[in-house]
Amino acid sequence: MAGGHRPDEDEEEEAVIGWQEKLFSQFEVDLYQNEAACQSPLDHQYRQEILKLEDSDGRKNRRIFTYTDSDRFTNLEEHCQKMTTTASEMPSFLVERMANVRRRRQDRRGMEGGILKSRIVTWEPSEEFVRNNHVINTPLQTMYIMADLGPYGKLGYKKYEHVLCTLKVDSNGVITVKPDFTGLKGPYRIETEGEKPELWKYTIDNVSSLAQPEEEEREQRVFKDLYGRHKEYLSSLVGTDFETTVPGALRLFVNGEVVSAQGYEYDNLYVHFFVELPTTNWSSPAFQQLSGITQTCATKSLGMDKVAYFSYPFTFEASFLHEDESAGALPEWPVLYCEVHSLDFWQRYRVEGYGAVVLPATPGAHTLRVSTWRPLELGTVAELRRFFIGGSLELEDLSYVRIPGTFKGECLSRFGLRTETTGSVTFRLHCLQQSRAFMESSSLRKRMRSVLDRLEGFSQQSSIHNVLEAFRRARRRMQEARESLPQDLVSPSGAMVR
């Protein structure tokens, strides 16, 4: 340790300190020389040691000293520890009570077996169990390396004492050094306050002797035994009921939430939703429910829109069995359909919109906003009927929002279906995927990764396919219209002439 205000030799000090080695400060030397100040047996022991030092060559340390686990400073330091970083912290009742619990080394009876394999929760604790386990009681020993940074010639004042390093050892053999050993880092700095501010720099180095081969071998055995016990403990928590998928299968877990719906014409909304699994290679457990309906929720104004917040949770599970190994086989992904209704005072409902979205093919958290539309019936009478008596055009098959899974034709025509864009529904999904391919050999992993890549690209390819299909339908209808017209109304270039 070196000070920054005097170049004198005595302002640089170095000390080699062992565990729980006592080095007296100038304040302790002045205090314990007075026999009236000694109250405890430890005080009288320190007095005798100080007198022996005075009879010999005196103390070798001047500014650097220590407080061991038995010193009064350790008790006060633990009692005054703050729970927060605020300067005006007021200790609570619990903090004051916990400060009286000294975590010191004591004899403790080990648990039978050494590892807790059952009875993680004690449903009927006895009075002795409560008395022994109501607080954290980890045996701990503490040591402080201190420095007296008072002005030159004014050592021995408590207000100039500063903590250089705190060392703690618990019953498990874990050593905590704060701050850490200096190593390749620069020295630590302490700036004192007062009429003449001073800057002190110090380093902390580990100068312990190297362990003998026998000690290193014993330490490795201890680590191996510790890790083995920890592995057994984790295995006991997991148990043997963890299910694994069959080879070549992918299990999909979805924890979802219907967050909100906004932009609709009427109030008191509710959402009916269901998940459609592709007909090939997908399945779900027999008990699994793939549909749900939210509660009726009133809307609130948010800017220019009316928003209904549902926060309705749902969950489902599905499995995909990869059977077709051909590169051209494109697996499909489950689709989430939703149907928004409004309910009036007379319990009459109206269809507010239909929507669909392909579930995310990547695991993780996803927020999806599904735009909806509803069939539109032209005319004032239809709008009056919708307003006064409720009811409107409805889809007989909700999967008609996209391409129904039962459709086997080449072209699905929606010609003549008039629609109106309505609002949107927000879903929050947390997707998990489980497969043996994630932990098997690299070749199988690459093969399953290609499947997942194709699954992930399905949502993009499906949207592009829908656009291209719409263009093909429009071109086909235009071609049929040209063929049905008389030849004198068609120009040589093929364009229709009005």
Side-chain angles (χ1 to χ4, degrees), residues 304-453:
M304 300 296 294
D305 291 332
K306 294 182 179 180
V307 184
Y309 292 99
F310 301 103
S311 299
Y312 182 85
F314 64 92
T315 181
F316 70 90
E317 170 189 346
S319 298
F320 171 76
L321 184 60
H322 185 222
E323 296 177 347
D324 193 352
E325 301 290 343
S326 61
L330 181 64
E332 297 182 355
W333 202 248
V335 181
L336 175 63
Y337 292 90
C338 64
E339 179 182 10
V340 184
H341 293 271
S342 62
L343 197 66
D344 63 8
F345 177 78
W346 303 102
Q347 300 301 310
R348 297 173 301 198
Y349 73 91
R350 302 172 180 83
V351 175
E352 296 294 335
Y354 298 98
V357 63
V358 179
L359 293 181
T362 55
H366 306 272
T367 300
L368 307 179
R369 185 173 181 178
V370 183
S371 300
T372 60
W373 55 266
R374 68 178 180 88
L376 180 63
E377 187 177 2
L378 297 180
T380 307
V381 177
E383 292 300 319
L384 290 174
R385 182 170 61 249
R386 171 180 167 81
F387 178 79
F388 285 104
I389 64 176
S392 58
L393 294 178
E394 299 181 18
L395 294 180
E396 183 178 354
D397 184 5
L398 194 58
S399 62
Y400 191 74
V401 177
R402 298 181 72 256
I403 301 178
T406 57
F407 179 73
K408 302 299 182 183
E410 297 181 357
C411 179
L412 177 62
S413 176
R414 292 189 176 92
F415 182 74
L417 176 62
R418 298 179 182 273
T419 61
E420 178 185 17
T421 301
T422 54
S424 61
V425 182
T426 302
F427 291 89
R428 184 180 294 120
L429 305 177
H430 297 270
C431 304
L432 295 86
Q433 296 177 1
Q434 180 189 10
S435 176
R436 286 190 179 183
F438 297 151
M439 53 182 295
E440 291 178 353
S441 61
S442 59
S443 59
L444 292 177
R445 192 177 304 159
K446 291 180 180 179
R447 186 178 63 185
M448 181 57 72
R449 186 182 298 117
S450 64
V451 175
L452 295 178
D453 292 340

Side-chain angles (χ1 to χ4, degrees), residues 163-184:
V163 179
L164 300 181
C165 181
T166 304
L167 296 93
K168 298 181 179 181
V169 178
D170 62 16
S171 60
N172 298 322
V174 178
I175 303 175
T176 304
V177 181
K178 184 179 180 181
D180 198 1
F181 297 117
T182 307
L184 300 178

Side-chain angles (χ1 to χ4, degrees), residues 19 24 29-30 78 195 204 228 230 255 267 292 296 309 349 361 434 452 471 483:
W19 173 244
F24 294 100
V29 171
D30 297 339
E78 289 189 355
E195 298 180 358
I204 305 173
H230 186 64
N255 295 321
D267 200 352
T296 303
Y309 292 99
Y349 73 91
Q434 180 189 10
L452 295 178
F471 279 117
E483 292 177 356

Side-chain angles (χ1 to χ4, degrees), residues 92-346:
S92 64
F93 176 80
L94 179 61
V95 171
E96 292 179 351
R97 290 297 182 267
M98 290 298 296
N100 295 325
V101 180
R102 293 297 309 280
R103 299 190 295 172
R104 289 292 173 260
R105 186 176 302 278
Q106 54 184 331
D107 295 333
R108 302 183 68 191
R109 292 177 298 176
M111 293 182 295
E112 295 182 1
I115 300 175
L116 185 60
K117 295 184 178 179
S118 62
R119 295 188 61 189
I120 298 179
V121 178
T122 304
W123 297 106
E124 297 180 358
S126 61
E127 294 183 1
E128 183 180 0
F129 180 86
V130 174
R131 186 166 53 252
N132 295 334
N133 296 275
H134 73 288
V135 293
I136 300 176
N137 193 20
T138 304
L140 190 72
Q141 283 188 313
T142 309
M143 178 181 180
Y144 294 92
I145 300 177
M146 309 290 294
D148 187 348
L149 304 183
Y152 183 75
K154 295 183 179 180
L155 302 182
Y157 292 90
K158 277 286 186 178
K159 62 179 180 180
Y160 296 128
E161 292 184 0
H162 293 265
V163 179
L164 300 181
C165 181
T166 304
L167 296 93
K168 298 181 179 181
V169 178
D170 62 16
S171 60
N172 298 322
V174 178
I175 303 175
T176 304
V177 181
K178 184 179 180 181
D180 198 1
F181 297 117
T182 307
L184 300 178
K185 300 180 295 184
Y188 297 106
R189 299 156 59 97
I190 296 179
E191 295 184 11
T192 61
E193 298 178 355
E195 298 180 358
K196 296 181 179 180
E198 299 175 350
L199 174 63
W200 295 84
K201 298 180 181 181
Y202 69 96
T203 59
I204 305 173
D205 299 317
N206 182 14
V207 295
S208 302
S209 58
L210 297 178
Q212 299 296 325
E214 296 80 5
E215 296 178 352
E216 292 183 354
E217 184 178 356
R218 183 170 64 251
E219 184 180 10
Q220 293 297 327
R221 288 198 303 267
V222 171
F223 282 150
K224 185 177 180 179
D225 181 63
L226 177 62
Y227 293 149
R229 293 187 178 185
H230 186 64
K231 184 178 179 180
E232 288 186 28
Y233 172 72
L234 295 179
S235 300
S236 66
L237 294 180
V238 175
T240 58
D241 299 332
F242 187 77
E243 299 180 3
T244 58
T245 59
V246 298
L250 173 70
R251 182 177 294 176
L252 173 66
F253 300 90
V254 176
N255 295 321
E257 176 189 1
V258 184
V259 180
S260 62
Q262 65 179 21
Y264 293 99
E265 183 179 1
Y266 291 95
D267 200 352
N268 297 325
L269 304 176
Y270 66 92
V271 179
H272 172 230
F273 60 92
F274 73 93
V275 177
E276 182 186 42
L277 300 179
T279 57
T280 57
N281 300 336
W282 282 92
S283 62
S284 63
F287 62 87
Q288 184 66 65
Q289 186 175 358
L290 298 179
S291 63
I293 185 169
T294 68
Q295 74 279 12
T296 303
C297 183
T299 61
K300 61 181 296 185
S301 297
L302 184 64
M304 300 296 294
D305 291 332
K306 294 182 179 180
V307 184
Y309 292 99
F310 301 103
S311 299
Y312 182 85
F314 64 92
T315 181
F316 70 90
E317 170 189 346
S319 298
F320 171 76
L321 184 60
H322 185 222
E323 296 177 347
D324 193 352
E325 301 290 343
S326 61
L330 181 64
E332 297 182 355
W333 202 248
V335 181
L336 175 63
Y337 292 90
C338 64
E339 179 182 10
V340 184
H341 293 271
S342 62
L343 197 66
D344 63 8
F345 177 78
W346 303 102

